[in-house]
Amino acid sequence: MGILDKFKRLLSNDQQPDFANKLEYERIIDDSINDPVHPYTNYWNIKVSVLEVYKKEVKGWPDKKKVDFIVYCAKQSHRYRAKRNRLSNQYQNQPKLYFLLDYIKQLMRTKLALEEKDVVQIAQAFVQSSEDNYSFVNSWPTNYFLSKIIKQYKGKKIGAEMKRSLTELKNIFQDEKFNSYQKEVSGFIVKIDQLFFDAVNEGAAAVKVLFYEPDEFGAFANNTLHNLKTEEQNCWFQLLLIAQKATGSKPTKKYLNTTKELYKELGANKFKKVVNSWLEYLVLLKNQEKIHYHEYLNQRTEYTEEFFVTAGNLTAIKGFVWMCAHFHDEKTLRNISNLSVRCYKKIPGQGPAAAGLGNACFYMLYKSKGMDGIGQLTKLKQKIKQTNGRKIIGKYLLAAAKEKGVSLHQIEELSVDDYGLTEGKRTIAFDEYTAQLQITGVGKSSLIWEKPDGKTQKSDPSYVKEKHKEKLKKLKQLKKQIDQSTSAQRSRIDLLFRANRTWNLEELNQFYIHHGLVSFLAKNIIWIFEEAGKKQAAIYLNKQWVTNELTPFSPTDSNKITLWHPSEQPVAAIKKWREFLYSHELRQPIKQAHREVYLLTEAEINTGVYSNRMAAHILKQHQYVSLAKIRNWNASLQGTWDGGGSDIAVLKLPEYNLKAEFWVQSIEADDAFNATGIWNYVSTDQIRFYDLATGELLNLRGILPIPFSEVLRDTDLFVGVASVGNDPAWMDSGELPAYRNYWHTYSFGDLTETAKNRKEILEKLVPRLKISKQAKIENKFLIVEGKLRTYKIHLGSTNILMEPNDQYLCIVPDRKKKDVTGNLFIPFEGDAGLSIILSKAFMLAADDKITDSSITSQIKMR
């Protein structure tokens, strides 16, 4: 529209619309305003359908007159709004304006036959009314109008004038002033595109259907479509048109079948290539910002919102994710899995970036063919921390187990990919070069190359990088997946210690001992074989089962097999197994022989129904809740809102018909909350057990040793990791000064079960260290004799005191530095505290070589 046209339109705003029935229409509006059934003072809740003047007159008009009245109401309302904006008077013609709008809505809801010239008139009136009207989207019945046209003109040809008017209306919706209503206007655009596809048979594919909402992904995806061949574009436009309607929680059978036929026509490989490029882009896409506009009382305001992808484009992406349910190739499943993690990454102050899309990813993985998608879900069970997301994953895993007729544990075992490994190794040929991929630890693997002359090297050969670029890229991806999988499987097996899971020999061999990947973990685990009431503990060593006395043992098919747990073993047996691990230098992937054991204490017998063993600790709330969710506890963040100050973390143990509770309370000190109102700290309280079926509070003496010990171990872990006492800089941070006594007490107090285990390891390890002449264990400290001072490293908190005056030394660990325990034999993996203690010990033993001024200034201060 040119400047002259706009000026003419502005001058004409005060002119009354020229209609043959204008006087009658004016009377209808006046009578509506004065109708006693609906006094105008309540114009924001107007329903003209209940008015006498509507029921006796307007309702019975012929369609032609109703259309004429709709156009009159639209033009008159635009006139009133424009005049009000110029005069800055919000009250002038306000009741009349709202009655006009409601008549348009009411008539659009009724059965109304629209000829092409009627559609043109109404569309043009809507376009005019959208000018400088930011609330147009939710105050006008555009959706009813478009739905009515689609229904009447499906399969029919439409004229050029009607198409031009609707295209103009479509273009209006792409104006940035409607940013606040992107989801709604995108729906309008989709309906217009649908009309053009359905109404025009010949040349329908010429209609371009794009990602219309303005964001970085839309621009990237539209550019992809633009660069495709014309015949391919036609299929993509139809697919996108369908995807933009994916508004439900899961796709219908019709949706899946329809889209399947379309992408089969396109070619499944071509479809996957484009969709996977979109998925990979989304996984790496950072949050964006958009400006919203709002108009109220003739005042226009704006605000900025952080977002991942716009709402309408998210809907379309979800539609394409659903379409992938027919596939089970590794690349698509991996990208869908990675996208779900990106979707559940939180936007500050808002929550998950796109939970709905993340849930669609879960559904697709569940519905994909084979077990690979289920395998991805089991990994996501460890990665996703948000409560609702974890519930949905759990629901799909249970559904998959039910469909297969197996337990949840069995479905998780069935879905573990071996990645083509044999006993943790795989060989891949690159012409005359050979790559040997081998698991070396939890989350670790090595890649060794054998050259044509038989020599080996660790770096990638130049020949392979030049001649097999894509194959090498896939190999690196495979290595990364294997590392992630060993970490995920270690976590899964560790949770089995409280699951009361049993196996037969065939299952143990299939899912653990002879599994290409899991065997690396399972062979250093102790198992119990039971038959006729007799139990024998054994470990798989040098391709045979042996006892802790190295006596060969032959399991039978009739054995009931369980994990060996130290809480049910005599002390002598535990020590025997620990010595066995040391003598054969077997590193367990999880703590088993050295697993912390929590037996019922006298104090807990006296309290009866609750334990205070983990009470009165101060935890960093975010760290605690994150760790609790990893251990499958249902825990929530507490905030400054009403009722947000207390929480009970819950762990269900269905195999034992138990529910455990860990009580915590927020510490509501001044300013001790973050920008989103979440309290920074919580204090711990009781642990209780309930009957899962009846909800009855249980006496602790009736709880079996394994579930009791595992629940106490989890809560001790929460304290051991999240306690402020572990933070060497916390005392000087200025936070919670009233709790500094707690920091001192915890930092240098009695050892926990974890710290006691750590002490036992160090007693065997220190004599073998390079600093053995400078280091020794005394009570609850590792004592290190430096060149300048003597240091006492607490075996629990890892905090340090300096002699002779027990001066505190603050050293914040550098997590980027290499783990000094890498070349030391430790009989289990995963104790970060032990690594920190040894790192500090090596550094302080050579304190005269420390250059960090933040440390040296403390050492020299006396």
Side-chain angles (χ1 to χ4, degrees):
M1 185 187 300
I3 295 176
L4 184 60
D5 292 328
K6 290 185 177 180
F7 183 68
K8 288 179 178 179
R9 180 168 288 184
L10 181 64
L11 291 177
S12 67
N13 280 337
D14 281 340
Q15 299 177 7
Q16 290 277 358
D18 188 17
F19 288 86
N21 298 309
K22 182 176 68 174
L23 294 177
E24 181 183 5
Y25 295 161
E26 289 178 349
R27 178 187 60 78
I28 292 293
I29 299 298
D30 289 337
D31 287 352
S32 300
I33 293 173
N34 296 318
D35 193 306
V37 174
H38 208 300
Y40 75 85
T41 53
N42 292 330
Y43 58 79
W44 55 86
N45 282 326
I46 287 173
K47 287 186 178 180
V48 298
S49 60
V50 304
L51 304 181
E52 288 298 313
V53 66
Y54 172 78
K55 291 189 287 188
K56 291 182 177 180
E57 296 188 54
V58 180
K59 188 176 181 180
W61 285 350
D63 287 353
K64 278 292 183 185
K65 190 172 182 179
K66 288 181 180 178
V67 170
D68 192 53
F69 187 46
I70 288 172
V71 176
Y72 167 84
C73 290
K75 292 194 172 187
Q76 192 76 331
S77 66
H78 175 60
R79 171 179 172 270
Y80 287 152
R81 179 179 288 277
K83 185 175 181 180
R84 184 192 69 179
N85 288 346
R86 292 200 314 278
L87 296 177
S88 299
N89 186 342
Q90 72 232 22
Y91 299 109
Q92 185 163 335
N93 295 314
Q94 191 83 334
K96 189 170 289 188
L97 175 62
Y98 281 89
F99 275 95
L100 290 167
L101 291 175
D102 203 64
Y103 265 111
I104 299 173
K105 291 179 183 178
Q106 177 57 33
L107 292 175
M108 278 297 175
R109 292 189 189 101
T110 62
K111 290 183 179 180
L112 195 64
L114 299 176
E115 296 181 3
E116 284 203 22
K117 60 181 179 179
D118 299 332
V119 173
V120 172
Q121 272 191 300
I122 295 173
Q124 290 176 343
F126 278 22
V127 168
Q128 184 186 38
S129 299
S130 70
E131 295 176 4
D132 300 320
N133 180 3
Y134 300 99
S135 61
F136 170 78
V137 172
N138 61 4
S139 62
W140 287 71
T142 311
N143 203 39
Y144 289 117
F145 172 53
L146 296 176
S147 296
K148 197 177 293 294
I149 301 171
I150 289 174
K151 186 175 181 181
Q152 291 182 210
Y153 284 87
K154 184 175 183 179
K156 300 177 183 178
K157 290 186 178 181
I158 59 176
E161 185 66 15
M162 177 175 167
K163 186 173 182 179
R164 185 194 64 75
S165 297
L166 291 174
T167 300
E168 185 179 0
L169 184 61
K170 170 183 169 180
N171 293 337
I172 286 290
F173 293 136
Q174 297 180 62
D175 194 300
E176 67 172 11
K177 68 185 179 184
F178 294 126
N179 274 356
S180 299
Y181 305 99
Q182 282 181 343
K183 187 174 183 180
E184 291 84 353
V185 297
S186 292
F188 300 157
I189 293 172
V190 170
K191 283 184 179 293
I192 294 173
D193 284 340
Q194 182 71 62
L195 172 66
F196 291 163
F197 263 104
D198 291 344
V200 185
N201 295 319
E202 294 181 7
V207 180
K208 282 192 174 183
V209 182
L210 300 171
F211 291 88
Y212 290 110
E213 294 194 4
D215 62 26
E216 292 181 20
F217 168 75
F220 173 80
N222 289 338
N223 184 61
T224 303
L225 297 176
H226 175 75
N227 292 325
L228 295 174
K229 295 179 181 178
T230 302
E231 59 270 21
E232 293 180 18
Q233 287 180 334
N234 297 339
C235 281
W236 279 105
F237 293 154
Q238 295 180 68
L239 285 167
L240 180 53
L241 187 61
I242 297 172
Q244 287 169 335
K245 300 175 185 178
T247 55
S249 60
K250 59 182 65 176
T252 62
K253 187 175 181 180
K254 180 181 178 182
Y255 179 94
L256 293 176
N257 289 338
T258 302
T259 54
K260 184 178 181 180
E261 290 303 314
L262 280 172
Y263 71 64
K264 280 176 65 178
E265 179 184 339
L266 172 70
N269 289 333
K270 290 180 179 179
F271 174 85
K272 286 190 286 187
K273 182 180 179 181
V274 171
V275 170
N276 275 303
S277 73
W278 292 350
L279 296 175
E280 289 166 356
Y281 181 88
L282 285 164
V283 169
L284 300 176
L285 181 63
K286 295 182 179 179
N287 290 339
Q288 307 167 64
E289 290 185 349
K290 64 181 173 183
I291 299 175
H292 290 280
Y293 301 99
H294 179 66
E295 183 188 26
Y296 180 69
L297 300 181
N298 204 31
Q299 295 291 321
R300 181 186 179 188
T301 59
E302 62 181 56
Y303 64 93
T304 302
E305 176 195 8
E306 188 175 356
F307 73 104
F308 172 42
V309 179
T310 52
N313 287 349
L314 279 176
T315 299
I317 298 165
K318 180 168 72 170
F320 282 110
V321 167
W322 282 348
M323 295 178 202
C324 295
H326 298 292
F327 304 126
H328 63 283
D329 63 288
E330 182 270 331
K331 182 177 182 179
T332 303
L333 294 176
R334 184 181 71 250
N335 285 333
I336 294 286
S337 179
N338 291 339
L339 177 58
S340 71
V341 175
R342 175 63 183 90
C343 288
Y344 270 95
K345 186 177 180 180
K346 289 187 176 181
I347 297 177
Q350 298 181 45
L357 177 57
N359 296 342
C361 294
F362 300 155
Y363 176 83
M364 178 268 163
L365 294 172
Y366 159 61
K367 293 298 288 185
S368 62
K369 298 178 181 178
M371 293 298 296
D372 292 340
I374 301 301
Q376 291 291 341
L377 281 177
T378 61
K379 295 176 188 176
L380 291 173
K381 191 177 177 182
Q382 297 294 324
K383 293 180 181 180
I384 301 295
K385 305 299 188 299
Q386 209 266 354
T387 302
N388 287 338
R390 293 173 65 87
K391 285 182 179 178
I392 293 170
I393 292 172
K395 180 185 73 174
Y396 286 141
L397 288 175
L398 282 172
K402 186 176 180 181
E403 291 167 8
K404 298 287 184 181
V406 296
S407 70
L408 179 59
H409 295 305
Q410 287 173 309
I411 200 70
E412 290 179 341
E413 291 165 347
L414 282 164
S415 64
V416 181
D417 195 340
D418 63 10
Y419 298 100
L421 297 166
T422 301
E423 295 185 345
K425 300 177 183 179
R426 179 174 173 180
T427 301
I428 300 114
F430 290 76
D431 295 338
E432 295 181 344
Y433 287 83
T434 302
Q436 178 78 31
L437 179 59
Q438 180 174 356
I439 301 173
T440 57
V442 177
K444 302 174 186 176
S445 61
S446 66
L447 189 60
I448 303 297
W449 293 91
E450 184 177 318
K451 298 187 290 185
D453 60 5
K455 294 181 180 180
T456 61
Q457 66 180 63
K458 291 184 178 180
S459 60
D460 301 331
S462 300
Y463 174 84
V464 173
K465 288 191 285 188
E466 292 174 5
K467 299 293 184 180
H468 298 283
K469 185 177 180 180
E470 284 302 313
K471 188 175 179 180
L472 179 61
K473 182 180 177 181
K474 290 182 179 179
L475 176 60
K476 294 298 179 71
Q477 289 176 342
L478 175 65
K479 183 179 184 299
K480 183 179 179 180
Q481 292 166 42
I482 289 171
D483 292 346
Q484 291 174 344
S485 191
T486 52
S487 294
Q489 292 308 309
R490 190 264 295 275
S491 298
R492 180 182 68 82
I493 294 172
D494 190 66
L495 292 175
L496 287 174
F497 278 92
R498 65 188 187 206
N500 201 25
R501 172 86 166 99
T502 62
W503 298 265
N504 59 39
L505 187 58
E506 182 182 0
E507 291 172 329
L508 182 66
N509 286 332
Q510 178 184 351
F511 300 135
Y512 292 91
I513 304 303
H514 299 316
H515 188 279
L517 182 139
V518 183
S519 60
F520 178 83
L521 307 171
K523 289 179 181 179
N524 285 351
I525 292 176
I526 308 165
W527 305 84
I528 289 183
F529 300 83
E530 181 179 358
E531 186 172 9
K534 294 183 178 180
K535 297 181 180 181
Q536 177 61 60
I539 196 167
Y540 197 77
L541 181 65
N542 297 327
K543 297 187 178 182
Q544 68 173 339
W545 290 100
V546 296
T547 69
N548 56 16
E549 295 179 345
L550 210 58
T551 304
F553 170 73
S554 299
T556 66
D557 293 338
S558 58
N559 283 143
K560 183 179 79 170
I561 306 168
T562 56
L563 282 166
W564 182 94
H565 196 290
S567 68
E568 293 186 324
Q569 305 299 321
V571 174
I574 297 173
K575 289 183 175 180
K576 187 75 173 177
W577 275 113
R578 291 181 179 181
E579 289 299 329
F580 182 89
L581 297 177
Y582 276 112
S583 62
H584 293 86
E585 291 200 352
L586 298 179
R587 176 177 291 187
Q588 295 196 291
I590 48 179
K591 280 189 179 180
Q592 186 183 27
H594 290 81
R595 200 173 190 82
E596 299 82 6
V597 175
Y598 300 80
L599 303 177
L600 199 62
T601 64
E602 189 68 29
E604 288 161 342
I605 293 174
N606 292 334
T607 55
V609 294
Y610 64 89
S611 169
N612 274 332
R613 201 186 309 193
M614 303 302 166
H617 288 281
I618 311 302
L619 311 184
K620 295 179 179 180
Q621 184 179 197
H622 283 86
Q623 197 173 14
Y624 147 67
V625 171
S626 178
L627 184 57
K629 289 180 178 179
I630 290 174
R631 299 295 297 173
N632 281 355
W633 288 73
N634 186 359
S636 302
L637 289 169
Q638 302 168 49
T640 55
W641 53 85
D642 289 344
S646 62
D647 180 56
I648 298 176
V650 175
L651 174 67
K652 293 182 179 179
L653 301 169
E655 293 87 352
Y656 294 97
N657 190 36
L658 289 175
K659 179 183 76 172
E661 290 185 350
F662 183 39
W663 294 13
V664 296
Q665 182 76 29
S666 63
I667 297 178
E668 301 178 8
D670 292 342
D671 299 325
F673 53 85
N674 66 13
T676 59
I678 302 297
W679 296 109
N680 294 332
Y681 305 103
V682 293
S683 61
T684 63
D685 205 331
Q686 301 177 1
I687 299 169
R688 297 182 175 224
F689 289 84
Y690 295 83
D691 184 293
L692 186 59
T694 65
E696 177 189 357
L697 179 61
L698 301 175
N699 192 293
L700 299 182
R701 285 177 292 182
I703 309 301
L704 293 173
I706 288 180
F708 181 83
S709 185
E710 287 298 305
V711 167
L712 270 290
R713 182 176 184 269
D714 272 1
T715 54
D716 197 5
L717 176 66
F718 305 156
V719 172
V721 172
S723 172
V724 299
N726 294 319
D727 184 350
W730 187 82
M731 186 178 66
D732 298 323
S733 67
E735 302 233 36
L736 303 179
Y739 293 90
R740 288 181 179 175
N741 286 339
Y742 165 77
W743 184 89
H744 279 286
T745 301
Y746 182 87
S747 293
F748 304 106
D750 293 337
L751 298 184
T752 63
E753 294 301 322
T754 300
K756 290 175 184 176
N757 270 352
R758 195 175 290 159
K759 179 179 180 180
E760 181 182 331
I761 298 297
L762 286 168
E763 285 173 338
K764 293 180 180 294
L765 193 59
V766 168
R768 308 201 319 249
L769 300 178
K770 290 189 296 183
I771 60 171
S772 60
K773 294 181 179 180
Q774 295 173 261
K776 61 182 177 180
I777 303 292
E778 281 189 5
N779 194 10
K780 51 192 175 185
F781 295 98
L782 171 60
I783 311 297
V784 179
E785 296 282 349
K787 304 292 184 182
L788 304 177
R789 298 186 75 164
T790 299
Y791 308 90
K792 302 192 305 185
I793 307 173
H794 191 265
L795 301 179
S797 67
T798 77
N799 288 330
I800 307 166
L801 295 175
M802 296 184 288
E803 294 183 349
N805 56 349
D806 277 354
Q807 177 189 334
Y808 174 63
L809 174 60
C810 178
I811 299 179
V812 179
D814 185 354
R815 302 188 185 280
K816 294 180 181 179
K817 286 189 176 181
K818 185 179 179 180
D819 183 2
V820 298
T821 65
N823 296 321
L824 302 174
F825 172 70
I826 298 173
F828 55 82
E829 296 201 38
D831 190 341
L834 181 60
S835 177
I836 291 172
I837 289 171
L838 289 171
S839 295
K840 290 180 177 180
F842 278 103
M843 179 178 64
L844 294 173
D847 55 359
D848 58 329
K849 296 181 181 178
I850 298 174
T851 57
D852 188 334
S853 60
S854 66
I855 300 175
T856 58
S857 61
Q858 297 178 76
I859 293 174
K860 293 175 182 178
M861 184 186 301
R862 289 180 185 267

